[in-house]
Amino acid sequence: MNVEKALQKLKEKGYKRTKQRERILDIFVKQDQYIAAKEILREIQTDFPGVSYDTIYRNLYMLTDVDILEATELGGEKHFRLGCETHGHHHHFICTECGKTKSIEFCPMENLNESLSGYDVENHKFEIYGKCPQCN
Amino acid sequence: MNVEKALQKLKEKGYKRTKQRERILDIFVKQDQYIAAKEILREIQTDFPGVSYDTIYRNLYMLTDVDILEATELGGEKHFRLGCETHGHHHHFICTECGKTKSIEFCPMENLNESLSGYDVENHKFEIYGKCPQCN
DNA sequence: ACTTTAATTCGTAATCATTCTTATTTTGAG
DNA sequence: CTCAAAATAAGAATGATTACGAATTAAAGT
């Protein structure tokens, strides 16, 4: 996924192209890791000193909504990363030091259909935390 | 796990017995589900109108520390429940309606040791969300 | 290019969970 | 009973997130 492709997708959905949005997308395309809202803000302020949290959050949630970003909660803060489109459903190892991730091409839900009969499964979360080889 | 057993465990670790602590434990023993700090506060205030959040959090964290409670983050809020001592490491289905849980006696980490060589795994989270048979 | 209109952003205030601080109270050992 | 350590109360502080009115801007049509 690159910035232009993402903006194209947004256009199809009726969202406008703004400098701030381009910049936000740019950050995610360049960094393959989970990023907190405040880091996005800090990064963007170098170009747009006036951006507000409202703009950051509104865009992050919107981008997550249209499946350009993925969101997760790390240590009480929401973090976002570019969605992986190369493969289907999967999970992540997440480095608690640098935020970089490694895809885990395995979903534990495959193993336990029968043990949840009677339950309406809506969602699940499987994340592995630790230090990546670089940070270790 | 019952209240007396828990208090006994605390005594062994050098923690004192207080009315507030008894009451907190009581709530967890009676409710087999994840509970947010504010719900604990509300419940306790019927008996101790003056309890502060400080007391709640201090105790919840302490009880988690000594493995009497388990903690997880649900929707940006920390939630706690009585630890399941009848079995070892396991995971949970969590009802998003009532907070009740069902133990999942299966850990996905067993399946992927080799794919994470070079990574220092510190922790993991596997939770299934949905509606339990009663709420469904 | 100009106008219109709705989307978007800015600036700031409000909210909510959690943590911190200080003074006071309680517990349990001796 | 006395005392020191532990625990609590009360409220302020913090930090992430959300909300909102006013101002700006993108883009679609004229």
Side-chain angles (χ1 to χ4, degrees), chain A residues 6-15 62-63 66 68:
Chain A
L7 286 167
Q8 177 59 32
K9 190 169 182 176
L10 291 186
K11 188 171 186 177
E12 285 161 15
K13 304 241 180 190
Y15 293 106
M62 183 272 286
L63 290 168
V66 301
I68 289 174

Side-chain angles (χ1 to χ4, degrees), chain A residues 16-17 19 37-38 53-54 57 61 77-78:
Chain A
K16 293 181 177 173
R17 174 181 191 127
K19 300 184 293 293
K38 64 166 179 247
Y53 265 116
D54 188 60
Y57 280 108
Y61 287 142
E77 285 177 50
K78 278 161 195 136

Side-chain angles (χ1 to χ4, degrees), chain A residues 106-118:
Chain A
F106 156 72
C107 177
M109 295 308 287
E110 295 162 10
N111 291 25
L112 40 79
N113 293 336
E114 77 285 353
S115 52
L116 286 170
S117 67

